[in-house]
Amino acid sequence: PYERKEGYYTFLIAGVDDVSMSTDVMMLASLDTENKKIHVVQLPRDTFVNAEVGGFTTVHRVNAVFTGEYNRQVNKGISQKTAKTLAMQALCDRLETQLCITIDEYVLINTSGFCSIIDAVGGINFDVPFDMFYEDPEQDLYIDLKAGYQHLDGKQCESLIRYRDGYSRGDIERMEMRADFMSALFSQVKANINLDTMLNLIRDKALLQKMSTSMSLVDLLAYVKMVYTVRDADMDIRTIAGEVVQNPES
């Protein structure tokens, strides 16, 4: 048991691939409205979590929690929209239990929605750490980025976030790059897009169809207003502590 901080809200933000329906991007973002700070903790997709199945404890990757529940619901004849809601609730429940936290709200966005947001704010300037090339026709994924500081549109930002090879320290280094990208995104959006423009973007019905959230539109707009009061220096992004281990299922 613990006492919650006044004006402190925690959100689960997840990015889903529409082909595999796996949440390969997951982060917990806490908004401290009293001190005007944002704390973000990234959850690597391959983080192992425990699960009780048939009276036995098993282990699987955290990105499979959403996928497994979504597929179970769809196989029962539940609509895709409702299945996503139930799957996100299952993921929230699992993380709350594993991390001993309370998740107030969640946002699930697909890759198309992510690209739309980046394009709507005019793209992002970012230093790509090395050449990135990858093709996967089954996922309709084609990545071809050159190293160096450059202006990236939505599709290029998606490529940057989803690329997995070439990191000497695997997913840990990839998370560090993603943290740098999130900082750049936060800073450049606030510098280039005023609050009214951002609120109008969030009201866009086409974008809302690419998202699934526990929040009403009124609540979503209210939280965005609070985010705009946070200075760049008061946004902290980290990756959950851990170490690379062999798959316990192998």
Side-chain angles (χ1 to χ4, degrees):
Y2 60 89
E3 292 185 9
R4 300 202 60 188
K5 297 178 180 179
E6 188 71 25
Y8 198 96
Y9 307 95
T10 298
F11 308 83
L12 171 62
I13 302 172
V16 64
D17 172 13
D18 283 335
V19 177
S20 66
M21 292 309 295
S22 60
T23 48
D24 288 347
V25 175
M26 286 167 285
M27 59 187 73
L28 293 166
S30 293
L31 174 61
D32 183 349
T33 62
E34 294 288 307
N35 298 299
K36 292 183 171 52
K37 293 184 177 183
I38 294 175
H39 305 282
V40 178
V41 176
Q42 299 189 97
L43 306 175
R45 50 165 278 171
D46 291 334
T47 302
F48 290 125
V49 293
N50 296 329
E52 295 292 335
V53 179
F56 297 91
T57 298
T58 184
V59 176
H60 54 227
R61 292 176 174 85
V62 69
N63 73 327
V65 175
F66 175 91
T67 311
E69 185 62 27
Y70 174 84
N71 289 335
R72 279 190 289 272
Q73 297 299 332
V74 170
N75 290 338
K76 291 192 298 185
I78 302 298
S79 70
Q80 291 185 2
K81 182 178 180 180
T82 301
K84 287 181 180 180
T85 297
L86 294 174
M88 281 301 289
Q89 291 173 350
L91 181 56
C92 286
D93 290 343
R94 178 65 56 82
L95 292 176
E96 286 185 331
T97 300
Q98 298 279 304
L99 300 176
C100 300
I101 60 172
T102 298
I103 297 175
D104 297 291
E105 309 284 359
Y106 68 76
V107 175
L108 175 73
I109 186 165
N110 62 18
T111 52
S112 176
F114 173 78
C115 293
S116 295
I117 291 176
I118 298 297
D119 288 335
V121 300
I124 299 297
N125 294 321
F126 191 74
D127 189 6
V128 179
F130 49 80
D131 289 350
M132 299 180 178
F133 182 81
Y134 179 78
E135 290 184 325
D136 186 349
E138 290 187 3
Q139 295 190 60
D140 192 27
L141 181 59
Y142 301 91
I143 297 173
D144 188 6
L145 292 176
K146 299 300 182 183
Y149 188 78
Q150 57 197 285
H151 189 76
L152 304 176
D153 62 18
K155 199 65 180 177
Q156 291 171 316
C157 287
E158 178 195 351
S159 296
L160 177 74
I161 294 299
R162 297 184 67 182
Y163 189 77
R164 294 177 58 82
D165 297 330
Y167 293 100
S168 59
R169 290 182 290 122
D171 237 19
I172 300 301
E173 188 175 357
R174 183 178 177 225
M175 293 294 101
E176 293 174 354
M177 182 282 298
R178 188 179 292 169
D180 291 340
F181 174 80
M182 291 300 298
S183 295
L185 175 63
F186 181 77
S187 177
Q188 292 179 45
V189 167
K190 286 189 60 187
N192 300 326
I193 306 296
N194 61 42
L195 179 57
D196 289 338
T197 302
M198 179 57 69
L199 296 179
N200 288 332
L201 170 63
I202 293 174
R203 294 187 183 99
D204 186 341
K205 292 183 179 179
L207 177 60
L208 291 175
Q209 291 177 351
K210 300 172 183 177
M211 297 171 52
S212 177
T213 178
S214 57
M215 291 177 278
S216 67
L217 180 58
V218 173
D219 288 340
L220 187 58
L221 294 173
Y223 284 125
V224 170
K225 288 181 180 179
M226 295 178 192
V227 167
Y228 263 76
T229 67
V230 178
R231 300 183 308 161
D232 293 356
D234 290 327
M235 181 179 181
D236 180 52
I237 305 177
R238 304 189 184 194
T239 300
I240 195 168
E243 60 185 34
V244 178
V245 296
Q246 182 181 2
N247 185 346
E249 295 179 338
S250 64

